[in-house]
Amino acid sequence: MKGVFVTGTDTNVGKTIIASGIAAVLREKEVDVGVFKPFLSGISRDHPESDTSLLKEMSQTPLSTEDITPFEFKEPLAPLVAGKLKGKLVNMTEVVRHWETIRVKHDFFIVEGAGGIAVPLGEVFLVSDLIKALQIPIIIVARPNLGTINHTFLTVKYAQSIGLSIAGIVINGVGEKADLSERTSPEIIEKLCGVPILGITPKLTDVTNESIQQMVKEHIDVSLFLNKMGVEKGE
Ligand SMILES: Nc1ncnc2c1ncn2[C@@H]1O[C@H](COP(=O)(O)OP(=O)(O)OP(=O)(O)O)[C@@H](O)[C@H]1O
Ligand SMILES: C[C@H](N)[C@H](N)CCCCCC(=O)O
Ligand SMILES: [Mg+2]
């Protein structure tokens, strides 16, 4: 099994949009792709607008929403905090055990974290610890606007400091009239971080499964990380 873990510089940066778009593009390339969003908070995994639902739809995996998202929490908070409120603390062993049961179901997995890379998932583990346990490279989704250089640099340096492999960065949601910071940040980010920018995606005016897939197909070079991982793909 090969895969990539989609994390971000923050919550709400577009991890699900990018992860689900990549899943759809890989499916179109006849890659046997599965999805895993182990922790979801603030919405039910079966809600049609949940991360889980979009990831499932775009990958067309037969995995159930429970397979994809074994741990869901009501409050829109860090999973550890939401879990404490529910009296349910998840430990890493539970997550890895669940992962071992589903990882055999597909050749390639796209995993989505929760919030940014240092969000607490359990009493003693963060998103970054889960990434380390799954031993797959990361894609960092970042905002386009002023402030993103710092956020992205901090995320990259933290990931590198704990030995995570970084496939690249996606700068997501550039407005139609990109301002000076949006136009200048990508180059400085790539130079400062020493990590490839896999793509710069626009802010869609109409967010549909089709527009997400088309956006990723047009703006993200998935071969940049597929080739590195030796993933055979269709035409
Ligand atoms: N390129 C884009 N164009 C238009 N809307 C976007 C784009 N990327 C993200 N959005 C919107 O921004 C919001 C946040 O995106 P998304 O849910 O993917 O973020 P996230 O990083 O997965 O958040 P979370 O940390 O909660 O999982 C959603 O409403 C989504 O539809
Ligand atoms: C609720 C939200 N949509 C995410 N699922 C969780 C974001 C946790 C962020 C925690 C933090 O960085 O302060
Ligand atoms: Mg998400």
Side-chain angles (χ1 to χ4, degrees), residues 16 37 51 112:
T16 303
K37 163 83 178 181
D51 292 10
E112 181 188 345

Side-chain angles (χ1 to χ4, degrees), residues 8-70:
T9 57
D10 196 357
T11 183
N12 227 25
V13 292
K15 297 186 299 294
T16 303
I17 294 291
I18 298 303
S20 61
I22 292 174
V25 167
L26 294 190
R27 184 173 41 77
E28 194 182 22
K29 289 175 175 289
E30 296 160 12
V31 174
D32 172 26
V33 61
V35 288
F36 184 40
K37 163 83 178 181
F39 290 83
L40 182 71
S41 55
I43 190 170
S44 153
R45 60 187 164 220
D46 293 311
H47 190 292
E49 286 171 16
S50 73
D51 292 10
T52 313
S53 297
L54 185 60
L55 288 164
K56 180 172 171 58
E57 269 170 49
M58 296 286 268
S59 63
Q60 292 191 359
T61 175
L63 292 173
S64 70
T65 52
E66 199 165 350
D67 287 334
I68 297 168
T69 300

Side-chain angles (χ1 to χ4, degrees), residues 144-163:
N145 46 302
L146 193 63
T148 195
I149 294 173
N150 173 58
H151 301 154
T152 310
F153 180 84
L154 289 172
T155 303
V156 165
K157 290 308 164 190
Y158 170 63
Q160 289 173 335
S161 74
I162 59 171

Side-chain angles (χ1 to χ4, degrees), residues 83-224:
K84 280 186 170 185
L85 293 175
K86 181 180 170 184
K88 164 74 181 153
L89 291 185
V90 180
N91 61 55
M92 176 81 94
T93 315
E94 285 176 89
V95 189
V96 175
R97 194 180 304 131
H98 181 91
W99 168 244
E100 292 304 331
T101 64
I102 66 166
R103 57 173 289 175
V104 295
K105 305 277 174 74
H106 289 284
D107 294 343
F108 192 92
F109 262 89
I110 297 170
V111 186
E112 181 188 345
I117 194 168
V119 164
L121 299 175
E123 278 291 12
V124 288
F125 72 104
L126 310 175
V127 168
S128 51
D129 298 303
L130 176 59
I131 299 169
K132 215 147 165 70
L134 302 188
Q135 295 185 326
I136 52 180
I138 65 174
I139 289 177
I140 298 169
V141 180
R143 291 196 174 89
N145 46 302
L146 193 63
T148 195
I149 294 173
N150 173 58
H151 301 154
T152 310
F153 180 84
L154 289 172
T155 303
V156 165
K157 290 308 164 190
Y158 170 63
Q160 289 173 335
S161 74
I162 59 171
L164 300 184
S165 160
I166 306 176
I169 296 164
V170 171
I171 296 178
N172 174 53
V174 178
E176 208 169 317
K177 293 191 180 52
D179 67 24
L180 204 45
S181 82
E182 290 174 332
R183 294 201 301 273
T184 53
S185 293
E187 185 186 349
I188 191 72
I189 285 173
E190 198 159 49
K191 212 175 283 172
L192 216 52
C193 297
V195 167
I197 289 186
L198 303 175
I200 301 172
T201 52
K203 189 171 183 59
L204 295 169
T205 45
D206 181 24
V207 182
T208 65
N209 293 10
E210 294 69 27
S211 67
I212 294 169
Q213 179 171 349
Q214 193 53 32
M215 173 182 80
V216 169
K217 196 172 172 178
E218 272 174 35
H219 296 277
I220 297 180
D221 185 352
V222 293
S223 59
L224 269 182

